[in-house]
Amino acid sequence: MTAPVDVEAGARRVTTAKAISEAIAQEMRANPEVFVMGEDVGPYGGIFGSTGGLFEEFGATRVIDTPISETGFIGAGIGAAVEGMRPVVELMFVDFLGVCFDQIYNHMAKIHYESGGNVKVPMVLMMAVGGGYSDAAQHSQCLWATFAHMPGMKVVAPSNPYDAKGLMASAIKDDNPVIFMFHKGVMGLPWMAKNPRSIGAVPEEEYTVPIGKAAIPHPGTDVTVVSVSMSVQHCLDVAEKLEGTTSVEVIDLRSIVPLDREAILASVAKTGRLVIVDEDYRSFGLSGEIVATIADKDPSMLKVPVQRVAYPDIPVPYARVLEYEALPTRDKIEAAIAAAMKG
Amino acid sequence: MTAPVDVEAGARRVTTAKAISEAIAQEMRANPEVFVMGEDVGPYGGIFGSTGGLFEEFGATRVIDTPISETGFIGAGIGAAVEGMRPVVELMFVDFLGVCFDQIYNHMAKIHYESGGNVKVPMVLMMAVGGGYSDAAQHSQCLWATFAHMPGMKVVAPSNPYDAKGLMASAIKDDNPVIFMFHKGVMGLPWMAKNPRSIGAVPEEEYTVPIGKAAIPHPGTDVTVVSVSMSVQHCLDVAEKLEGTTSVEVIDLRSIVPLDREAILASVAKTGRLVIVDEDYRSFGLSGEIVATIADKDPSMLKVPVQRVAYPDIPVPYARVLEYEALPTRDKIEAAIAAAMKG
Amino acid sequence: MVDNDMRVDFYKEMVRIRTYEAALQRDYHADKAPAWDIGAGLIPGEMHLSAGQEPVAVGLCANLEQGDAITGPHRPHHLALAKGVDMKAMTAEIFGRDTGLSHGKGGHMHLFDPSQHFSCSGIIAQGMPVAVGQALAFSRRGTANVAVAVAGEGAANQGGFHEALNLASMWKLPVIFIIEDNDWAISVNRETATPIKDGSLRASAYGMPSARIEGNDVDAIYDACRTAVERARAGGGPTLLEIHTVRLWGHFEGDAQAYRGDELAAATENDPIPLYEKRLLAAGLLTEDSIGSIKAQAEEEVEAAIAYAKASPEPKPSDAYLHVFA
Amino acid sequence: MVDNDMRVDFYKEMVRIRTYEAALQRDYHADKAPAWDIGAGLIPGEMHLSAGQEPVAVGLCANLEQGDAITGPHRPHHLALAKGVDMKAMTAEIFGRDTGLSHGKGGHMHLFDPSQHFSCSGIIAQGMPVAVGQALAFSRRGTANVAVAVAGEGAANQGGFHEALNLASMWKLPVIFIIEDNDWAISVNRETATPIKDGSLRASAYGMPSARIEGNDVDAIYDACRTAVERARAGGGPTLLEIHTVRLWGHFEGDAQAYRGDELAAATENDPIPLYEKRLLAAGLLTEDSIGSIKAQAEEEVEAAIAYAKASPEPKPSDAYLHVFA
Ligand SMILES: Cc1ncc(C[n+]2csc(CCOP(=O)(O)OP(=O)(O)O)c2C)c(N)n1
Ligand SMILES: Cc1ncc(C[n+]2csc(CCOP(=O)(O)OP(=O)(O)O)c2C)c(N)n1
Ligand SMILES: [Mg+2]
Ligand SMILES: [Mg+2]
């Protein structure tokens, strides 16, 4: 685990969206086999800005606007990857996985195994996740656990621009399929409310962030708070607020597959108290797996019940008041930390 | 929780496949709005026998063979259900969910919620699950956790003929979408190796088994073994074998959603030792959720580490020797129980 | 055939819809300042308005009865209003209020009115199979009702389109498939995504009758829909209609449409409502006065609906947990 | 055009494939007794054999080079053998051995031979988009290679068919889509599932050239594929070919085919290999002797491959954990 590289004051600060498109551009310059495909990834630059500027630099043969045929173009990405190209394919919203999931989990994820290691599928499938802006039940989910439950894909979900750039570079270089999930809230979009953490210092040069390694952006000793993606920003806000009263160790998983179980175990061994903050649905998902990771080893590590601040098992409602009732907000995180400290 | 109804010696014994088709037939006789739709559900009687005899009795208007268009006919089931019919739709193998998952989780599961309770989708989506006969990576999965992670669907998976008939009757009567998963190994198929438990006493008259209630087919005091579907048969074999040495309490979940958390908690409160046997993939699934259910309440209930005998996070391999390395077999269950007793 | 009374009604209904969309546009943007924040304001979230596509909804729905069904796409308001969905309850839904169609749970892309057999979905083309199932129910019950699936020209490249058309034709069900071809799928032009000019040709892949209707003319749309609906009611099976229409505004609110270039100006000139108004004026069916009063009446109804929505209570936070299961 | 040497080669290759399938059928059933258990024996699992469909594979692959790609369906053996996949490694895979194409991980429905750009999948129609992507790679790299997607007539009702054809046509890629129309999708007859008689008409939905080839005649199939492959190599884009063929045996082994009735007897009479043999005999291209030696040679090759498979070691149990990630 490494905390994000220290960047001097005055360093260039960019949005996560820009960090992602910059990583793709650098890989495209370095490797002619890298190309981008998806809906509105061309002149529009990606609905969430993940491909901004790429069409202008690389043109229509390497930045391909597709019909609304996710099974078709994700399958085409797989075919190109099988032949050794390195496609970066965008599924606009994770919520659309249902129209193309067979290509994803029965093909992209399994071909390498089914071929006994003879066929590689070096492909990045990126997608927007998350809610908080009243996009309702079909456009607001996280669903990382859905991918993570299926073997054969790496799954990453950065919480900030620095990690996003480094993880995208790693994902494109990886010989395996990588699901790259960017939360709309971390993209630093001009048209969405945002935490200042969605814009940050990012080196212009290429670098990688390793897939499968958690970060500890806020070390502490009293309680472990494990989270990923957008929710990490809230956790950090709360951890900073509680400085002086409660020493909160925030673990940013960054990758869901591989899951950095060692980082979690080491922290809980120290604190004995665990809060999990997860914007994906609560049951049968990430939060349960994290708890089980500890119980597999030694349940007595946990001094008190685990607090799961996760999305309740309800579809995402539209009205703001309903959606925020369900989202893992700072207030809920703070209350969960308090409950863990009391217990 | 109720153990399966006591049935006198000499009672009629049928396969799980027959029990399912009988439940459907009885509901079809009682309610003209019930109909069946899917691939090969007509004259063929369902690839796994779930619709045997229905075409002969009810004809082609109520037992409809479809094209290979799962998005099309599952969507059509939803439309019919929205208009108040009660379709029983078969997806031949759960592994095919990827070609129709949007209809399932974005429509079937969410319409009731999105409509604020104004539109019901009383539909059963049944499907075969499970491996053990070298059908490899695309035809051998369980994937109940994939459905269970998504809110809005009930999910049931019987382990024996009695429960299968009663759960199918409940599913058809239910006003909610119900995923009905039958493991090929519990169907009692003439062309597949089977545990004798796949054929059992089943009353001819109609009855229901409640959705959301676990059964305790083998009560015990030393260790809790929680399982579902086919694996329950293995757990019972092991529990019977260990009688006299270890007192094993086997919990047959029967339903994954709603999950009978009380039954699990009550048993673990008694035994302090937990083995989970799950043919679905290990990570981010059922086994983690069960552990978390305990840690949410009181991790100190667990005297020793949890043993998860689950499908490892690998695609299902073809060769028998590879597949059985991965499957939750009796040997592994026995070893896990021994480990739990030692710990 | 369309008669003069119908023409005036068509005009009224198109004005009503446009007035509605314009008012929503106004209120959508009103309180998103200073930084434009999609999640803020009285109407949060994505917003796909239908300006320019009114002739499709009006020409279609003039052929439908309350018991007929529509599954609409992410851009649903024109269809919902023309079908007869209650404007107040729909507006309250879009404003996220407890008096809304779904108590604020669904929002603009998920409008459900079972009394009108109306629904819509934000997932491209996925309403099409649902309409097939509604038609299946109608046909099993022996009603003469029809189900209509409406989707964009972009949606016609989605697998669900193919499967739905094939099923409906195979089972000869009373379904009308309407493709609203507005030339754009967000920023992707039809020519980038669809290799044929006349998408109605796709019907021949299923042995289904079809037509492409040019001109965005409500009269012609009415006639084509009438043929299709009559065929369906009479047991003659499904029809595919591709209707060339125009998207006057952005894909969603906030879309700067840089990708449209000159085409946008041309589109704006093809606004079907002023064009129709001119024809009806010329034919003496409308006068400046009657136009004024039609518009005033529309304003009144729309503002009343918006006022109703604004005055309605929000749902209770804990209502979020209701309605997961029946 | 097909010349006489080619005809003899076609015959040889068809005999080779049939001999292979018959031998697999024998060994598949050999040790499943006493109760027939699908998971037992030397070859466990589902088994979809291709008897009757040899003309498609042979007529197609005679036009292909090693660098061309095929994505096949759940019924892949004829295609794999005709494409040049090594018979020994393929057989060892089907027997679940460590010397198999995939070390026993894939099995009969998941044969991967990257040297021949051959793959297949057990999920209906889902190989079709993958072929489009292979063609995309070929075209980006400027090779003259083509990609072929093969699927059944049942698969042509799946959404993936539609999306793949649309993409390939839109991007004018070197893809040949082959629909093997054997009249059946398991127990569901074409007439129950597909509302049009000539499925090649579906190509017009994408502005794509197409043909339906009747007669299950390898010569005609060769010619049609040749036209398509040449067009693709020359940059002329994709073609859809629907080839009427016959499924002589059950959908999978163990299928009693009660649903087929009289049609089965007729199908059996249409076995393409004896018919072709008769023609070549009549034309003097074959003699009873040469037929005998062709069959003997095929037997020899096939039995050697099976012997190789049987003699090969099984994978180590712990190998199950290898190859999840590269
Ligand atoms: C399956 C799926 N893919 C992508 C999207 C994102 N999306 C929403 S609207 C849209 C464009 C739709 O174009 P069209 O069908 O022509 O309808 P229009 O917006 O023009 O009315 C896209 C791509 C989606 N909602 N669902
Ligand atoms: C998406 C999907 N749906 C259903 C199946 C089950 N299935 C396997 S083969 C088959 C029939 C295929 O028919 P066709 O495409 O005509 O090929 P054929 O078997 O005749 O060669 C079906 C329904 C599957 N494998 N994948
Ligand atoms: Mg459009
Ligand atoms: Mg077939």
Side-chain angles (χ1 to χ4, degrees):
Chain A
M1 303 135 291
T2 45
V5 164
D6 258 343
V7 198
E8 318 96 272
R12 183 187 66 143
R13 296 174 62 79
V14 303
T15 64
T16 299
K18 166 76 182 145
I20 291 172
S21 64
E22 184 170 285
I24 299 172
Q26 287 174 340
E27 295 300 318
M28 287 180 80
R29 279 176 216 131
N31 185 347
E33 301 287 4
V34 179
F35 71 99
V36 174
M37 186 159 57
E39 293 156 16
D40 306 285
V41 298
Y44 198 99
I47 296 299
F48 303 100
S50 54
T51 59
L54 298 181
F55 183 84
E56 290 67 22
E57 179 173 352
F58 301 101
T61 53
R62 292 185 71 193
V63 184
I64 308 174
D65 267 340
T66 62
I68 312 176
S69 308
E70 287 85 356
T71 285
F73 70 76
I74 292 175
I78 295 168
V82 157
E83 293 298 333
M85 297 191 79
R86 304 187 89 83
V88 178
V89 182
E90 179 161 293
L91 175 66
M92 196 186 291
F93 287 72
V94 69
D95 313 71
F96 307 159
L97 69 87
V99 301
C100 51
F101 203 41
D102 189 76
Q103 288 295 339
I104 296 171
Y105 93 98
N106 263 338
H107 293 86
M108 187 183 80
K110 290 180 183 165
I111 283 174
H112 183 260
Y113 188 84
E114 289 173 334
S115 74
N118 290 323
V119 180
K120 292 187 180 61
V121 187
M123 167 166 168
V124 180
L125 183 62
M126 64 176 172
M127 61 196 75
V129 304
Y133 62 103
S134 286
D135 219 357
Q138 298 176 334
H139 289 75
S140 303
Q141 301 167 104
C142 288
L143 299 182
W144 31 69
T146 300
F147 292 92
H149 185 55
M150 309 284 191
M153 300 169 266
K154 299 186 179 179
V155 181
V156 303
S159 70
N160 62 69
Y162 179 88
D163 285 347
K165 180 170 174 184
L167 283 168
M168 179 54 84
S170 292
I172 297 174
K173 290 180 200 295
D174 203 297
D175 275 346
N176 295 287
V178 179
I179 303 288
F180 187 101
M181 306 180 109
F182 50 80
H183 195 294
K184 299 149 204 168
V186 311
M187 292 297 264
L189 297 169
W191 44 275
M192 203 176 272
K194 61 196 149 292
N195 191 308
R197 299 179 196 279
S198 296
I199 302 178
V202 174
E204 293 196 44
E205 60 273 22
E206 288 180 55
Y207 62 90
T208 57
V209 166
I211 295 176
K213 285 277 161 222
I216 303 190
H218 192 281
T221 51
D222 290 339
V223 55
T224 300
V225 177
V226 179
S227 190
V228 69
S229 186
M230 181 69 207
S231 296
V232 170
Q233 300 191 351
H234 302 321
C235 293
L236 290 172
D237 290 344
V238 172
E240 288 175 5
K241 176 177 171 194
L242 296 180
E243 275 168 15
T245 57
T246 309
S247 172
V248 177
E249 176 140 304
V250 177
I251 298 187
D252 178 352
L253 292 173
R254 302 196 292 195
S255 300
I256 296 141
V257 178
L259 183 63
D260 191 347
R261 297 181 198 261
E262 279 64 44
I264 300 167
L265 287 166
S267 180
V268 176
K270 179 170 71 177
T271 62
R273 294 166 201 274
L274 176 60
V275 175
I276 302 163
V277 184
D278 181 13
E279 195 183 320
D280 194 5
Y281 298 118
R282 172 185 175 101
S283 292
F284 307 95
L286 174 63
S287 61
E289 187 59 28
I290 290 172
V291 176
T293 298
I294 293 157
D296 287 344
K297 178 108 186 250
D298 179 4
S300 73
M301 265 180 172
L302 291 165
K303 294 186 220 156
V304 296
V306 173
Q307 300 291 326
R308 293 200 274 170
V309 184
Y311 208 91
D313 297 322
I314 64 172
V316 179
Y318 167 72
R320 194 181 299 119
V321 56
L322 299 176
E323 186 180 16
Y324 275 82
E325 169 68 17
L327 281 168
T329 53
R330 291 184 194 82
D331 286 354
K332 286 182 208 155
I333 297 166
E334 194 173 337
I337 290 171
M341 291 309 297
K342 245 191 240 127
Chain B
M1 304 135 293
T2 47
V5 163
D6 259 343
V7 199
E8 320 97 271
R12 184 186 64 141
R13 295 174 63 78
V14 303
T15 64
T16 299
K18 167 75 183 146
I20 291 171
S21 64
E22 184 169 287
I24 299 172
Q26 288 175 340
E27 295 300 318
M28 287 181 79
R29 280 177 215 130
N31 185 347
E33 301 287 5
V34 179
F35 71 99
V36 174
M37 188 160 55
E39 292 156 16
D40 306 285
V41 299
Y44 198 99
I47 295 299
F48 303 100
S50 54
T51 59
L54 299 180
F55 183 84
E56 290 68 21
E57 180 174 353
F58 300 102
T61 51
R62 293 185 71 193
V63 184
I64 308 173
D65 267 340
T66 62
I68 312 176
S69 308
E70 288 84 358
T71 286
F73 69 77
I74 293 176
I78 296 168
V82 157
E83 292 298 334
M85 297 190 79
R86 303 187 90 84
V88 179
V89 182
E90 179 162 294
L91 174 66
M92 196 185 290
F93 287 72
V94 69
D95 313 71
F96 308 160
L97 69 87
V99 301
C100 51
F101 204 42
D102 189 75
Q103 288 295 339
I104 296 171
Y105 94 98
N106 262 338
H107 293 86
M108 187 183 80
K110 290 179 182 165
I111 284 175
H112 183 261
Y113 188 84
E114 288 173 335
S115 74
N118 290 324
V119 180
K120 291 189 180 61
V121 187
M123 169 165 167
V124 180
L125 184 62
M126 65 176 171
M127 59 196 74
V129 304
Y133 63 102
S134 286
D135 220 357
Q138 297 176 334
H139 288 76
S140 303
Q141 300 167 105
C142 287
L143 300 183
W144 34 67
T146 300
F147 292 91
H149 185 56
M150 309 284 191
M153 298 170 267
K154 298 186 178 178
V155 181
V156 303
S159 69
N160 62 68
Y162 180 89
D163 285 347
K165 180 171 173 184
L167 283 169
M168 179 53 83
S170 292
I172 297 174
K173 290 180 201 296
D174 203 296
D175 275 346
N176 296 288
V178 179
I179 303 288
F180 187 101
M181 308 181 109
F182 50 81
H183 194 294
K184 299 148 204 169
V186 310
M187 291 297 263
L189 297 169
W191 44 273
M192 202 176 271
K194 60 195 148 294
N195 192 307
R197 300 179 196 278
S198 295
I199 302 179
V202 173
E204 291 195 43
E205 60 272 22
E206 290 179 54
Y207 62 90
T208 58
V209 166
I211 295 175
K213 284 278 161 220
I216 305 191
H218 191 281
T221 50
D222 290 339
V223 55
T224 300
V225 178
V226 179
S227 190
V228 69
S229 186
M230 182 68 206
S231 296
V232 171
Q233 300 192 351
H234 303 321
C235 293
L236 289 172
D237 290 344
V238 173
E240 289 176 4
K241 176 178 172 194
L242 296 180
E243 276 169 15
T245 57
T246 311
S247 173
V248 177
E249 177 141 303
V250 177
I251 298 187
D252 179 353
L253 291 172
R254 304 196 291 194
S255 301
I256 296 141
V257 178
L259 184 63
D260 190 347
R261 297 182 198 259
E262 279 64 44
I264 300 167
L265 287 166
S267 181
V268 175
K270 182 169 71 177
T271 63
R273 293 167 201 273
L274 176 60
V275 175
I276 302 164
V277 184
D278 181 12
E279 196 183 320
D280 194 4
Y281 298 118
R282 173 185 175 99
S283 292
F284 307 95
L286 174 63
S287 61
E289 187 59 27
I290 291 171
V291 175
T293 299
I294 293 158
D296 286 345
K297 178 105 184 255
D298 178 7
S300 74
M301 265 180 169
L302 291 165
K303 293 185 221 158
V304 295
V306 174
Q307 300 291 326
R308 293 200 274 170
V309 184
Y311 208 91
D313 297 323
I314 64 173
V316 180
Y318 167 71
R320 195 181 299 120
V321 56
L322 299 176
E323 186 180 17
Y324 275 82
E325 169 69 17
L327 280 168
T329 54
R330 291 184 194 84
D331 286 353
K332 285 182 209 154
I333 297 166
E334 196 174 335
I337 290 172
M341 292 309 297
K342 247 191 237 126
Chain C
M1 289 300 298
V2 181
D3 66 26
N4 285 340
D5 283 357
M6 289 166 71
R7 289 202 170 86
V8 175
D9 284 346
F10 291 170
Y11 175 75
K12 279 186 190 163
E13 188 61 19
M14 293 198 294
V15 167
R16 178 175 174 260
I17 296 171
R18 178 69 57 84
T19 306
Y20 187 79
E21 297 292 60
L24 278 198
Q25 189 178 52
R26 175 198 68 205
D27 276 13
Y28 180 81
H29 291 281
D31 47 6
K32 291 199 164 46
W36 196 83
D37 170 7
I38 189 174
L42 278 168
I43 307 178
E46 279 184 74
M47 179 54 62
H48 312 85
L49 298 175
S50 63
Q53 304 184 191
E54 297 88 351
V56 181
V58 172
L60 165 66
C61 292
N63 289 288
L64 301 183
E65 296 165 9
Q66 180 167 352
D68 297 327
I70 292 185
T71 62
H74 57 287
R75 193 182 304 288
H77 300 168
H78 54 322
L79 299 161
L81 291 174
K83 181 65 175 65
V85 173
D86 181 69
M87 191 189 280
K88 284 188 168 153
M90 173 174 155
T91 309
E93 184 62 27
I94 294 169
F95 279 71
R97 303 303 167 119
D98 195 37
T99 53
L101 288 169
S102 303
H103 305 290
K105 288 218 163 83
H108 138 78
M109 278 192 280
H110 311 105
L111 301 171
F112 290 88
D113 181 350
S115 76
Q116 285 290 345
H117 302 260
F118 184 88
S119 67
C120 56
S121 165
I123 310 295
I124 293 300
Q126 296 285 315
M128 305 182 80
V130 175
V132 173
Q134 291 177 294
L136 180 67
F138 298 154
S139 105
R140 285 294 183 276
R141 288 173 174 168
T143 75
N145 283 121
V146 304
V148 184
V150 184
E153 92 295 337
N157 293 324
Q158 180 72 209
F161 167 95
H162 178 69
E163 297 191 8
L165 269 74
N166 189 61
L167 274 189
S169 177
M170 194 64 239
W171 297 341
K172 246 196 168 206
L173 294 173
V175 190
I176 296 95
F177 296 101
I178 305 270
I179 298 299
E180 294 186 282
D181 176 8
N182 62 9
D183 291 321
W184 293 98
I186 312 186
S187 74
V188 179
N189 192 269
R190 189 190 205 292
E191 297 196 347
T192 309
T194 305
I196 57 170
K197 289 221 184 311
D198 178 353
S200 76
L201 294 177
R202 291 190 168 176
S204 66
Y206 318 101
M208 193 188 293
S210 71
R212 179 172 165 96
I213 298 107
E214 292 288 357
N216 205 19
D217 170 21
V218 65
D219 292 4
I221 293 167
Y222 173 84
D223 286 340
C225 292
R226 180 168 178 141
T227 306
V229 169
E230 282 178 351
R231 179 185 298 129
R233 289 204 206 286
T239 303
L240 171 66
L241 298 177
E242 184 173 77
I243 303 177
H244 196 198
T245 182
V246 65
R247 195 189 85 198
L248 289 175
W249 301 344
H251 170 75
F252 30 38
E253 289 306 298
D255 175 7
Q257 302 199 75
Y259 52 85
R260 277 184 91 166
D262 293 346
E263 182 268 347
L264 183 55
T268 310
E269 272 169 37
N270 281 324
D271 185 335
I273 299 185
L275 291 175
Y276 199 63
E277 188 180 288
K278 226 178 274 169
R279 269 166 56 194
L280 267 51
L281 263 174
L285 300 174
L286 291 175
T287 62
E288 293 299 343
D289 268 11
S290 66
I291 290 171
S293 77
I294 287 169
K295 289 190 172 166
Q297 210 178 319
E299 293 283 350
E300 196 179 316
E301 185 192 1
V302 166
E303 296 305 333
I306 289 180
Y308 172 81
K310 288 182 179 168
S312 290
E314 293 191 331
K316 285 198 306 292
S318 63
D319 290 352
Y321 304 101
L322 300 177
H323 303 136
V324 180
F325 288 113
Chain D
M1 289 298 300
V2 181
D3 67 27
N4 285 340
D5 284 357
M6 289 165 72
R7 289 199 171 88
V8 175
D9 284 347
F10 290 171
Y11 174 76
K12 278 186 190 161
E13 188 62 17
M14 292 199 294
V15 166
R16 177 174 176 261
I17 296 170
R18 178 68 59 84
T19 305
Y20 187 79
E21 297 293 61
L24 278 198
Q25 189 178 50
R26 176 197 68 205
D27 277 13
Y28 180 81
H29 291 281
D31 47 7
K32 290 199 164 47
W36 197 83
D37 170 6
I38 189 174
L42 278 169
I43 308 177
E46 278 185 75
M47 178 54 60
H48 312 84
L49 299 175
S50 64
Q53 303 184 193
E54 297 87 352
V56 181
V58 172
L60 165 66
C61 291
N63 289 289
L64 300 183
E65 297 164 9
Q66 180 168 352
D68 296 328
I70 291 185
T71 62
H74 57 287
R75 194 182 304 289
H77 300 169
H78 56 320
L79 298 161
L81 291 175
K83 181 64 174 69
V85 174
D86 181 69
M87 190 189 280
K88 285 190 168 151
M90 172 174 156
T91 309
E93 183 62 26
I94 294 169
F95 279 71
R97 303 304 167 119
D98 195 37
T99 54
L101 288 169
S102 303
H103 305 289
K105 287 220 164 81
H108 138 79
M109 278 191 281
H110 311 106
L111 302 171
F112 290 87
D113 181 351
S115 76
Q116 285 290 345
H117 302 260
F118 184 88
S119 67
C120 56
S121 164
I123 309 294
I124 295 300
Q126 296 285 315
M128 304 181 79
V130 175
V132 173
Q134 292 177 293
L136 179 67
F138 298 153
S139 105
R140 284 294 181 276
R141 288 172 175 168
T143 76
N145 284 121
V146 304
V148 184
V150 183
E153 93 295 337
N157 293 325
Q158 181 70 210
F161 167 95
H162 177 69
E163 297 190 9
L165 267 75
N166 189 62
L167 275 189
S169 177
M170 194 63 240
W171 297 341
K172 246 196 168 205
L173 294 174
V175 191
I176 296 95
F177 297 102
I178 304 272
I179 298 298
E180 294 186 281
D181 176 9
N182 62 9
D183 291 320
W184 292 97
I186 312 186
S187 73
V188 179
N189 191 269
R190 187 189 207 292
E191 298 197 346
T192 309
T194 305
I196 57 170
K197 289 222 184 310
D198 178 353
S200 76
L201 295 177
R202 291 190 168 177
S204 65
Y206 318 101
M208 192 187 292
S210 71
R212 179 171 165 97
I213 298 106
E214 292 288 355
N216 206 19
D217 170 21
V218 64
D219 291 4
I221 294 167
Y222 173 85
D223 286 341
C225 291
R226 179 167 180 144
T227 306
V229 170
E230 283 178 351
R231 178 184 299 128
R233 288 204 206 287
T239 303
L240 171 66
L241 297 177
E242 183 173 78
I243 302 178
H244 196 198
T245 183
V246 65
R247 196 188 86 198
L248 288 175
W249 301 344
H251 170 74
F252 30 39
E253 289 305 297
D255 175 6
Q257 302 199 77
Y259 53 83
R260 278 184 89 166
D262 295 346
E263 182 268 346
L264 183 56
T268 310
E269 272 169 37
N270 282 325
D271 185 334
I273 298 185
L275 291 175
Y276 199 64
E277 188 180 287
K278 226 177 275 169
R279 268 166 59 194
L280 267 51
L281 263 173
L285 300 174
L286 291 175
T287 63
E288 293 298 343
D289 267 11
S290 65
I291 290 172
S293 77
I294 287 169
K295 289 189 172 167
Q297 209 177 323
E299 292 284 349
E300 196 178 317
E301 186 192 2
V302 166
E303 296 305 332
I306 289 181
Y308 172 81
K310 288 181 179 170
S312 289
E314 294 190 331
K316 285 198 305 294
S318 63
D319 290 351
Y321 305 100
L322 300 177
H323 303 136
V324 180
F325 288 114

